[in-house]
Amino acid sequence: MIRQFFNKKPTPEYPKYWLDYEALFATTKRSELHNTRFVVLDTETTGFDYEKDRVLCIGAVDVFNNEINVANAFEVYIKQEHFNENTVEIHGIIKNERIETTTEEDALKLFLNYIGNSILVAHHARFDITMINKMLQRHNLPKLKNSVLDTVNLYRATRIKSNLIKQDKYTLDEIAENYVLDVSDRHTAAGDALLTAIIFLKTTTILKNNKGLTLKKMFKL
């Protein structure tokens, strides 16, 4: 008994902004697509290495009742010491550029407050979510608690299945071209988040009409 007492790990003392975020999940109740808030997000990063690279910008927009709330869009630029000049051609964010930036922890506070207990949506979501979880880890915080959907899975579910045509990965550009969507704001976090939100609505509309998509079925695609 004494040994168990002294070996017991102390409960981590998390900051208030994390506790406020975490508390939202105690009362999460969702039943239908139309009364669920989705937050569609995208990140711009210094590269693709989860350990070495950093998030430069997070862009997001929320979707509720089949509508994109553009007026409530989210965008934050993060001050980083790590920099990779090879990625500038992709995202256009250069070191010392005159963009208002915030610290990584303040960016997390703003982001967690924005997303709340919404369902998160991203294109190739594993990358964006992992990069954000790495941010949380650097500040001794747990991983995101939100459920996550990937628009790649949603789009793939709308396609005709064939043994002759195999394509496991769909880029944002390929889907945008198929849906004839404007890609002039590609490779900005806010622009890609908006584009992903449009794709999210298009795919879910197709799936609802053709396959009777429900919120529960979404996570099984």
Side-chain angles (χ1 to χ4, degrees), residues 44-45 56-57 77 83-84 87-95 97 99 187 189:
E44 294 299 334
T45 67
L56 292 169
C57 181
Y77 288 88
F83 184 70
N84 180 357
T87 60
V88 172
E89 291 183 7
I90 299 173
H91 53 64
I93 303 171
I94 61 173
K95 194 173 185 181
E97 188 173 0
I99 295 175
H187 299 303

Side-chain angles (χ1 to χ4, degrees), residues 12-161:
E13 293 185 7
Y14 296 127
K16 185 177 183 300
Y17 68 87
W18 176 265
L19 296 176
D20 289 344
Y21 160 76
E22 195 173 42
L24 295 172
F25 293 85
T27 57
T28 300
K29 290 183 180 180
R30 304 186 183 99
S31 57
E32 303 293 342
L33 288 172
H34 71 272
N35 64 10
T36 299
R37 181 176 183 253
F38 299 90
V39 170
V40 187
L41 66 92
D42 182 76
T43 61
E44 294 299 334
T45 67
T46 59
F48 303 103
D49 189 305
Y50 292 136
E51 301 301 329
K52 294 180 181 179
D53 286 301
R54 298 291 185 267
V55 176
L56 292 169
C57 181
I58 304 174
V61 65
D62 66 336
V63 176
F64 186 80
N65 197 19
N66 296 318
E67 292 185 357
I68 301 171
N69 189 358
V70 178
N72 190 41
F74 175 88
E75 187 174 40
V76 62
Y77 288 88
I78 302 160
K79 193 182 301 179
Q80 296 289 4
E81 293 301 319
H82 180 81
F83 184 70
N84 180 357
E85 62 182 13
N86 294 325
T87 60
V88 172
E89 291 183 7
I90 299 173
H91 53 64
I93 303 171
I94 61 173
K95 194 173 185 181
N96 299 323
E97 188 173 0
R98 292 180 180 179
I99 295 175
E100 185 178 347
T101 59
T102 188
T103 65
E104 190 170 76
E105 185 174 25
D106 283 343
L108 285 171
K109 291 178 186 177
L110 293 169
F111 179 69
L112 293 174
N113 182 64
Y114 181 79
I115 64 174
N117 60 4
S118 303
I119 294 176
L120 303 183
V121 181
H123 197 71
H124 292 301
R126 181 175 179 269
F127 175 76
D128 299 285
I129 299 301
T130 302
M131 290 299 288
I132 293 171
N133 281 334
K134 287 295 181 180
M135 291 172 64
L136 290 164
Q137 186 183 70
R138 285 193 288 276
H139 296 275
N140 301 311
L141 294 171
K143 294 179 179 180
L144 291 170
K145 295 178 66 65
N146 308 69
S147 299
V148 179
L149 290 169
D150 195 323
T151 46
V152 173
N153 295 335
L154 292 170
Y155 180 74
R156 186 182 291 124
T158 68
R159 310 296 286 173
I160 298 172
K161 292 183 179 180

